Amino acid sequence: MKWTGAGRQTKAGDLVLLMGQRQKYHLIPLIEDGEFQTHRGVLYHNDLIGKPWGSKVSSHKGNPFYILQPGIEEIIYSTKRNTQIMYPKDIGYILIKLNIVDGSTVIEAGTVSGSLTQVFAAIIGDNGHLFSYEAREEMQNLAKKNLHRIGLEDRVTFIQKNIEEGFEQENIQSLVLDLPNPYDYMDVVKNALIPGGFFGCILPTMNQIVKLLTALKRSAFVKIEVTEIMLRHYQAESNKLRPTDRMVAHTGYLIFARSFEKNFEE
Amino acid sequence: MKWTGAGRQTKAGDLVLLMGQRQKYHLIPLIEDGEFQTHRGVLYHNDLIGKPWGSKVSSHKGNPFYILQPGIEEIIYSTKRNTQIMYPKDIGYILIKLNIVDGSTVIEAGTVSGSLTQVFAAIIGDNGHLFSYEAREEMQNLAKKNLHRIGLEDRVTFIQKNIEEGFEQENIQSLVLDLPNPYDYMDVVKNALIPGGFFGCILPTMNQIVKLLTALKRSAFVKIEVTEIMLRHYQAESNKLRPTDRMVAHTGYLIFARSFEKNFEE
Amino acid sequence: MKWTGAGRQTKAGDLVLLMGQRQKYHLIPLIEDGEFQTHRGVLYHNDLIGKPWGSKVSSHKGNPFYILQPGIEEIIYSTKRNTQIMYPKDIGYILIKLNIVDGSTVIEAGTVSGSLTQVFAAIIGDNGHLFSYEAREEMQNLAKKNLHRIGLEDRVTFIQKNIEEGFEQENIQSLVLDLPNPYDYMDVVKNALIPGGFFGCILPTMNQIVKLLTALKRSAFVKIEVTEIMLRHYQAESNKLRPTDRMVAHTGYLIFARSFEKNFEE
Amino acid sequence: MKWTGAGRQTKAGDLVLLMGQRQKYHLIPLIEDGEFQTHRGVLYHNDLIGKPWGSKVSSHKGNPFYILQPGIEEIIYSTKRNTQIMYPKDIGYILIKLNIVDGSTVIEAGTVSGSLTQVFAAIIGDNGHLFSYEAREEMQNLAKKNLHRIGLEDRVTFIQKNIEEGFEQENIQSLVLDLPNPYDYMDVVKNALIPGGFFGCILPTMNQIVKLLTALKRSAFVKIEVTEIMLRHYQAESNKLRPTDRMVAHTGYLIFARSFEKNFEE
């Protein structure tokens, strides 16, 4: 069941966001005869199935919960993971720069926990496709579970392989690397991309960027951009409007480029 | 003809990115028997139609051009406009926060020049739909032309109307306002959104945020967030890696919230 | 004894920075026959007095410590306080904008814990003078102790008074307010400043700035600037150069202006 | 005549800030019988000498000008230069981190146009001293002229020398390098500083920081910090409070460390 196709009422198989008091929320799949334990009491799934979105229900202790549709951001943050997730601020910009839209054909490597995988799958639709490479089996299995949870596994082909042997696809429009050493793979990236195709990656350190820039120029990529997205939160108080005290200062640098023929720039 | 559905070769009707020397580029639709004048010579469209993406062609003066698929970012920047466009850094984050994915049903007001309109249309696919409100006729016509250029008009219903009279839809998942006074419309926004639905807007000044926060709380929105996205570019030189000298310091603050029942927060 | 006048050797009365293993440090005044307890053992002050700066000494447990001169930043951070200190990033910019140099005559209100007081005193020298206003007695006493510790009390006159009654000085060059409601005092500020004198203040919220801008214009201040200083730290690792994960996102906005005759701007 | 020692009235030799309409200003030294041409008319210096600060005078065309004391920031921005100046945001933070206060003994290299030179001279007072090294004669002459303009030449010794031969002083408290290759001089820096002394430098690129970090660790510096100061300006309009559209994104990274004995960090 696809999480995004929901109508006005919940069905078994839907992923729902249960929001309790103080805006605390839980993300769970509805399963017939299921039970969900919270410290504010038990909720019976059968009481939740078939309800209009936005309905108010009560736990066995009488505490109120609201049934909401989860958004892609809540799905990212609730992704089971054993590594750092990619942040919404970075994912959003990658979508635009890599031209990820309905119908896009995309490669990503590595899959890691699958946070980017889920967003790509949600956007490319049934006419697009994502090929997701990951060398580590247990990592790939985790990503598969995460994708299964939102019902979008048909849009993704998982491939367990070390990409130094090359990608199995050609003429791909968009390709993103989430690996510590992307600079080692610029030639295989180029072979997989359609001429003019979109390349992007995220890297935490300046030392990695230096190496990547050298590799990108050697492999004749053009429109190379090195950027960084900073997100600042403000206190949402109308009479005390100010930034929050602390912020995430760094997640990674985003580097983008387009595949190209050699020796055009002379 | 949909810009995103392109195969391996160009066809009449496709939007193409012609990249000349020094990475200067032009975005044009291919028209049978058409001509395109550049200061590096004339290109005949019939020479461009039917070519594989990435092909090299020459102007009548012998200057090289490459035929590439345009990306959504290049489409945004080449949008004909009579106002400020929305920036990719902000659009990307809005996509995630407003849960704009394949199949989403979305309202935007105002349409303005249609930069957000085009990105939403490209992402929601044929299963989604966008209702785009704009009170000014000439502004709406411009947006229609921009959307027609990328062949996605079937995914958008344009409505010329002042939204203070209310939206014509209900149970909408996501709604974005790009207006100077969103705080005047919180009740009509609420009536259009499905309970739990996603609201967002962009505002340039702090004074506007103060008013909006008051209105959001009065209309019982929850999960209110005030944020700001800053984008920093770096020189893409491996031996002189540093930020560029100047940057855009401000486009607007992004405010997000979710529609909700009154009086839950007691 | 003035902390800044130190020769090549320590003397009783000097403030010293004792740096132990892992760069942990302590800031203490040297007192004849004194003892200093650390969890790495006891240090006897008499063993520290008369030593060249940079000397290595040992605790009774044999752990090494180095005797260094403290810098003004370490003094700020070790200031005893019952409120938020002002941060070095903001203080540094205030010094330049308010023209705090050798010989400056300055007013500050309130004194608070005296972190700005200490920096001003260290810079203005014996030819300058600082008048420091604070309404709360216990706060002023704390600031006096902090100033005494660095031996610069001769450069500061502490005045316990609510400034709405006005300042006792005239023709002052520079005046800084660290108060929540500076907008209530623009006329008394103007009476204290020499025409053209420098005004500055720090405010955490946008709502306060809005009020202050109105007050500054009403009282005919010119060259009004609203600014914000952001400090980003990087990991000091040559092979993993990147920003630290988190940062202080906000301390306060800095507002500067110069006192002026009324009605010049017509 | 020292610029900072001004009383309540102007004297021949004073540096004055003449502010005309629209807050346009000029920084000039008062010279007996001098004339100052502006496009709003001529001002005769004798009409300006002996006037109280803040006085209003008129050009021969009847346009009003106000006589103000210049601040250190206006002096920095009006420094005659043939290179990039150092920005107030960076200078302010350097003052705190390098412990530049009344009485400080400081080395800087290179002098360049002397913007930092002037600020240091204004702060250290007659009890402090600055040794300023510069290899290029014409650059040094420019800095001397700039320092002469503010009357502080007694506080600075200019030395024309390439610092790879070493500094002529020892036991210096604070030392700042404004050179492209500071990493080549860490041993001579160490020989000049008192143990525990303060070192700082400004560098535009990440590549230079990588080299410097290696050199600092090799020469046993401690408390190494790599930082960056960002300054954001806001529109000073109470009903349209927002950041300005564009900002300076980068001037340089600031690196600080303290000189130390070898091999303490084991």
Side-chain angles (χ1 to χ4, degrees):
Chain A
M1 190 52 232
K2 200 174 71 175
W3 133 82
T4 52
R8 296 198 185 172
Q9 279 151 37
T10 61
K11 293 176 298 297
D14 278 352
L15 202 58
V16 302
L17 187 111
L18 289 172
M19 188 155 108
Q21 279 160 325
R22 296 167 195 277
Q23 304 190 23
K24 290 276 150 72
Y25 61 83
H26 310 275
L27 199 66
I28 62 165
L30 294 184
I31 298 159
E32 270 178 53
D33 303 325
E35 292 186 7
F36 181 64
Q37 314 272 352
T38 81
H39 73 286
R40 293 186 185 275
V42 180
L43 289 153
Y44 299 98
H45 286 214
N46 290 354
D47 296 346
L48 308 176
I49 293 170
K51 284 284 192 312
W53 292 108
S55 296
K56 186 178 181 177
V57 292
S58 291
S59 73
H60 86 287
K61 287 188 181 168
N63 287 308
F65 283 86
Y66 285 75
I67 309 174
L68 305 181
Q69 291 182 319
I72 191 74
E73 188 189 33
E74 289 144 348
I75 287 169
I76 296 169
Y77 282 125
S78 67
T79 292
K80 288 207 182 69
R81 58 187 181 264
N82 37 31
T83 57
Q84 182 60 46
I85 58 160
M86 209 176 282
Y87 279 76
K89 71 180 180 75
D90 296 319
I91 294 177
Y93 196 56
I94 287 171
L95 293 176
I96 302 291
K97 297 294 296 186
L98 256 65
N99 200 36
I100 310 296
V101 296
D102 171 70
S104 293
T105 311
V106 186
I107 286 177
E108 70 163 351
T111 309
V112 200
S113 307
S115 58
L116 205 52
T117 315
Q118 293 176 83
V119 182
F120 284 1
I123 286 181
I124 58 178
D126 290 328
N127 299 320
H129 203 76
L130 171 62
F131 301 93
S132 186
Y133 287 76
E134 174 61 59
R136 297 157 292 178
E137 188 175 7
E138 79 282 18
M139 196 70 95
Q140 194 167 65
N141 288 338
L142 180 64
K144 280 179 182 172
K145 260 183 225 164
N146 283 321
L147 194 66
H148 177 75
R149 187 177 64 140
I150 59 170
L152 300 178
E153 50 267 75
D154 290 351
R155 299 177 181 174
V156 181
T157 302
F158 287 100
I159 301 161
Q160 194 196 325
K161 188 177 175 180
N162 189 320
I163 64 166
E164 70 190 17
E165 303 158 30
F167 295 102
E168 296 169 5
Q169 293 73 35
E170 291 185 340
N171 286 305
I172 295 292
Q173 293 169 323
S174 308
L175 191 156
V176 62
L177 294 185
D178 182 10
L179 294 162
N181 59 335
Y183 34 81
D184 289 337
Y185 308 117
M186 285 304 102
D187 285 335
V188 298
V189 165
K190 195 164 177 176
N191 290 337
L193 281 172
I194 199 170
F198 300 87
F199 166 72
C201 78
I202 185 165
L203 287 174
T205 74
M206 284 288 176
N207 312 72
Q208 290 164 303
I209 300 175
V210 166
K211 287 183 187 171
L212 180 61
L213 288 175
T214 304
L216 282 169
K217 285 177 186 174
R218 192 172 50 225
S219 297
F221 281 77
V222 295
K223 293 190 87 186
I224 301 169
E225 291 181 36
V226 179
T227 63
E228 177 183 29
I229 295 279
M230 288 179 275
L231 169 64
R232 206 174 184 198
H233 287 280
Y234 286 74
Q235 282 187 185
E237 297 188 33
S238 60
N239 60 344
K240 281 185 190 172
L241 188 55
R242 45 161 290 179
T244 52
D245 285 330
R246 296 185 65 78
M247 66 184 273
V248 171
H250 186 65
T251 53
Y253 299 101
L254 300 174
I255 300 93
F256 303 103
R258 295 185 72 169
S259 173
F260 216 64
E261 263 196 34
K262 268 215 189 304
N263 303 323
F264 181 47
E265 289 299 288
E266 79 279 7
Chain B
M1 189 54 229
K2 201 174 69 173
W3 134 82
T4 52
R8 298 199 185 171
Q9 279 153 36
T10 61
K11 294 174 300 297
D14 277 353
L15 203 59
V16 301
L17 188 113
L18 289 172
M19 189 156 107
Q21 278 159 326
R22 296 166 196 276
Q23 304 191 23
K24 290 277 150 73
Y25 60 84
H26 309 275
L27 199 66
I28 60 165
L30 294 184
I31 298 160
E32 270 181 52
D33 303 326
E35 292 187 6
F36 181 65
Q37 313 273 352
T38 81
H39 73 285
R40 294 188 184 274
V42 180
L43 289 154
Y44 300 99
H45 286 213
N46 292 352
D47 295 347
L48 309 176
I49 293 170
K51 285 284 194 311
W53 292 107
S55 296
K56 185 179 181 176
V57 293
S58 291
S59 73
H60 86 287
K61 287 187 179 169
N63 287 309
F65 284 85
Y66 284 76
I67 309 174
L68 305 181
Q69 291 182 318
I72 191 73
E73 188 189 34
E74 290 144 348
I75 286 169
I76 296 169
Y77 281 125
S78 67
T79 292
K80 288 204 181 70
R81 60 187 179 263
N82 37 31
T83 57
Q84 182 61 45
I85 58 161
M86 208 176 281
Y87 279 74
K89 71 181 179 73
D90 296 318
I91 295 177
Y93 196 56
I94 287 170
L95 294 175
I96 302 291
K97 296 295 295 186
L98 257 65
N99 200 36
I100 311 295
V101 297
D102 172 69
S104 293
T105 312
V106 186
I107 285 177
E108 70 163 350
T111 310
V112 200
S113 307
S115 58
L116 204 52
T117 315
Q118 293 176 83
V119 183
F120 283 2
I123 287 181
I124 58 178
D126 291 327
N127 299 320
H129 203 76
L130 172 62
F131 300 93
S132 187
Y133 286 76
E134 173 61 59
R136 297 158 292 180
E137 187 175 6
E138 78 284 18
M139 196 69 95
Q140 192 167 64
N141 288 338
L142 180 63
K144 281 180 183 171
K145 259 184 228 164
N146 283 322
L147 193 67
H148 177 75
R149 187 176 65 139
I150 59 170
L152 299 179
E153 51 267 75
D154 291 351
R155 298 177 182 175
V156 181
T157 301
F158 286 100
I159 300 163
Q160 194 196 325
K161 188 177 177 181
N162 190 322
I163 64 166
E164 68 191 17
E165 304 158 29
F167 295 103
E168 298 168 5
Q169 293 73 35
E170 291 185 340
N171 285 306
I172 295 292
Q173 293 170 324
S174 308
L175 191 155
V176 63
L177 294 185
D178 183 9
L179 294 163
N181 58 336
Y183 33 82
D184 289 336
Y185 308 118
M186 285 304 102
D187 285 334
V188 298
V189 164
K190 195 164 177 174
N191 290 337
L193 281 172
I194 198 170
F198 301 86
F199 166 72
C201 79
I202 184 165
L203 287 174
T205 75
M206 284 288 176
N207 313 71
Q208 291 164 303
I209 301 175
V210 166
K211 287 183 188 173
L212 180 60
L213 289 175
T214 304
L216 283 168
K217 285 175 187 176
R218 193 172 48 226
S219 297
F221 281 77
V222 295
K223 292 190 89 184
I224 301 170
E225 291 182 34
V226 179
T227 63
E228 178 183 27
I229 294 279
M230 288 178 276
L231 170 63
R232 206 174 183 196
H233 287 280
Y234 286 75
Q235 282 187 184
E237 295 187 36
S238 60
N239 61 344
K240 283 184 188 170
L241 188 55
R242 45 161 290 178
T244 53
D245 285 329
R246 296 186 66 78
M247 67 183 274
V248 171
H250 186 65
T251 53
Y253 298 100
L254 301 173
I255 300 93
F256 303 103
R258 295 185 74 169
S259 174
F260 215 64
E261 263 196 34
K262 267 214 189 307
N263 302 324
F264 180 47
E265 288 300 288
E266 78 280 5
Chain C
M1 187 55 230
K2 200 174 70 174
W3 133 81
T4 52
R8 297 198 185 172
Q9 279 152 38
T10 61
K11 292 175 300 296
D14 278 353
L15 203 57
V16 301
L17 188 111
L18 289 173
M19 188 155 109
Q21 278 160 327
R22 296 167 195 276
Q23 303 192 25
K24 289 277 151 72
Y25 60 84
H26 309 274
L27 198 67
I28 60 165
L30 295 184
I31 298 159
E32 271 180 52
D33 303 326
E35 290 188 8
F36 181 66
Q37 314 273 351
T38 81
H39 73 285
R40 293 188 185 275
V42 180
L43 289 155
Y44 300 98
H45 286 213
N46 290 355
D47 296 348
L48 309 176
I49 294 170
K51 283 285 194 311
W53 293 106
S55 295
K56 184 180 182 176
V57 292
S58 291
S59 73
H60 86 287
K61 287 187 181 167
N63 287 307
F65 285 86
Y66 284 74
I67 310 173
L68 304 182
Q69 292 182 319
I72 191 74
E73 188 189 33
E74 289 143 347
I75 287 168
I76 295 169
Y77 281 124
S78 67
T79 291
K80 287 205 182 71
R81 59 188 180 261
N82 36 32
T83 59
Q84 182 60 46
I85 58 159
M86 207 176 282
Y87 278 75
K89 72 180 178 75
D90 296 317
I91 295 177
Y93 196 56
I94 288 171
L95 293 176
I96 301 292
K97 297 294 294 186
L98 257 65
N99 200 36
I100 311 294
V101 296
D102 172 70
S104 293
T105 312
V106 186
I107 286 177
E108 70 163 350
T111 309
V112 201
S113 306
S115 58
L116 203 53
T117 315
Q118 293 176 83
V119 182
F120 283 1
I123 287 182
I124 58 178
D126 292 328
N127 299 320
H129 203 77
L130 171 62
F131 300 93
S132 187
Y133 287 76
E134 174 61 59
R136 296 158 293 179
E137 188 175 6
E138 78 283 19
M139 197 69 95
Q140 193 168 64
N141 288 337
L142 179 64
K144 280 179 182 171
K145 260 183 226 165
N146 283 321
L147 193 67
H148 176 74
R149 186 177 67 140
I150 60 170
L152 300 179
E153 51 267 78
D154 290 351
R155 297 176 182 176
V156 181
T157 302
F158 287 101
I159 300 162
Q160 194 197 325
K161 189 178 175 180
N162 190 320
I163 63 165
E164 68 189 18
E165 305 160 27
F167 295 103
E168 298 169 3
Q169 293 74 34
E170 292 185 338
N171 286 303
I172 294 293
Q173 292 171 325
S174 308
L175 191 156
V176 62
L177 294 185
D178 183 9
L179 295 162
N181 58 337
Y183 33 82
D184 289 336
Y185 308 117
M186 284 304 104
D187 285 334
V188 298
V189 164
K190 195 164 176 175
N191 289 337
L193 280 172
I194 198 170
F198 302 86
F199 167 72
C201 78
I202 185 164
L203 288 174
T205 75
M206 283 289 177
N207 313 71
Q208 292 165 303
I209 300 176
V210 166
K211 287 184 187 171
L212 180 60
L213 289 175
T214 305
L216 282 168
K217 285 177 186 174
R218 193 171 50 225
S219 297
F221 281 77
V222 295
K223 294 191 87 184
I224 301 170
E225 292 181 35
V226 179
T227 63
E228 178 182 27
I229 295 279
M230 287 179 277
L231 170 64
R232 206 174 185 198
H233 287 280
Y234 286 74
Q235 282 187 185
E237 295 188 35
S238 59
N239 60 345
K240 283 185 188 171
L241 189 55
R242 45 161 291 179
T244 53
D245 285 329
R246 295 186 67 79
M247 66 184 273
V248 171
H250 186 64
T251 53
Y253 299 101
L254 301 174
I255 301 94
F256 303 103
R258 295 185 73 168
S259 173
F260 215 63
E261 265 196 33
K262 268 213 187 306
N263 302 322
F264 180 47
E265 289 299 288
E266 77 281 6
Chain D
M1 189 54 231
K2 199 173 71 175
W3 134 82
T4 52
R8 297 196 185 170
Q9 280 153 36
T10 62
K11 293 175 299 296
D14 277 353
L15 203 58
V16 302
L17 187 113
L18 289 172
M19 188 156 107
Q21 280 159 327
R22 295 165 197 278
Q23 304 192 23
K24 290 278 152 69
Y25 61 83
H26 309 274
L27 199 67
I28 60 165
L30 294 185
I31 297 159
E32 270 180 52
D33 304 326
E35 291 186 7
F36 181 64
Q37 314 273 351
T38 81
H39 74 285
R40 294 188 184 274
V42 180
L43 289 155
Y44 300 98
H45 287 213
N46 290 354
D47 296 347
L48 309 176
I49 294 171
K51 284 283 193 312
W53 292 107
S55 296
K56 185 179 180 177
V57 293
S58 291
S59 73
H60 85 287
K61 287 186 181 169
N63 287 308
F65 284 86
Y66 285 74
I67 310 173
L68 305 181
Q69 290 182 318
I72 191 74
E73 188 189 34
E74 290 144 347
I75 287 168
I76 295 168
Y77 281 125
S78 67
T79 291
K80 288 206 181 72
R81 58 186 181 266
N82 37 31
T83 57
Q84 181 61 45
I85 58 159
M86 208 176 281
Y87 278 75
K89 71 181 178 76
D90 297 318
I91 294 177
Y93 196 57
I94 288 172
L95 293 176
I96 301 291
K97 297 294 294 187
L98 258 65
N99 200 36
I100 310 295
V101 295
D102 171 69
S104 292
T105 310
V106 187
I107 285 177
E108 69 163 351
T111 309
V112 200
S113 307
S115 59
L116 204 52
T117 315
Q118 293 176 83
V119 182
F120 283 2
I123 287 181
I124 57 178
D126 291 326
N127 299 320
H129 203 77
L130 172 61
F131 301 92
S132 186
Y133 286 77
E134 174 61 57
R136 298 157 292 178
E137 187 175 7
E138 78 284 18
M139 197 68 95
Q140 193 167 64
N141 287 338
L142 180 64
K144 281 180 181 171
K145 259 184 227 163
N146 283 321
L147 193 66
H148 176 75
R149 187 177 66 139
I150 58 169
L152 299 178
E153 51 266 75
D154 290 352
R155 297 177 181 175
V156 181
T157 301
F158 287 101
I159 300 161
Q160 194 196 324
K161 188 177 175 179
N162 190 321
I163 64 165
E164 70 190 15
E165 303 158 30
F167 294 103
E168 297 169 5
Q169 293 74 33
E170 291 185 339
N171 286 304
I172 294 292
Q173 293 170 323
S174 307
L175 191 156
V176 61
L177 294 185
D178 183 10
L179 293 163
N181 59 335
Y183 35 81
D184 290 335
Y185 308 117
M186 285 304 104
D187 286 335
V188 298
V189 164
K190 195 164 177 174
N191 290 337
L193 281 172
I194 198 170
F198 300 87
F199 167 72
C201 78
I202 185 165
L203 286 174
T205 76
M206 283 289 177
N207 313 72
Q208 291 165 302
I209 300 175
V210 167
K211 287 184 188 171
L212 180 60
L213 288 175
T214 305
L216 282 169
K217 284 175 187 176
R218 193 171 50 226
S219 296
F221 281 76
V222 295
K223 293 190 88 182
I224 300 171
E225 291 181 36
V226 179
T227 64
E228 178 183 27
I229 294 279
M230 288 179 276
L231 170 64
R232 207 174 182 197
H233 287 280
Y234 287 74
Q235 282 187 185
E237 296 187 35
S238 59
N239 60 345
K240 282 184 188 170
L241 189 54
R242 45 162 290 178
T244 53
D245 285 329
R246 295 186 67 78
M247 66 183 275
V248 172
H250 187 64
T251 53
Y253 299 101
L254 300 174
I255 301 94
F256 303 102
R258 295 184 72 169
S259 173
F260 216 64
E261 260 195 39
K262 268 214 188 306
N263 302 324
F264 180 47
E265 288 300 287
E266 81 280 4

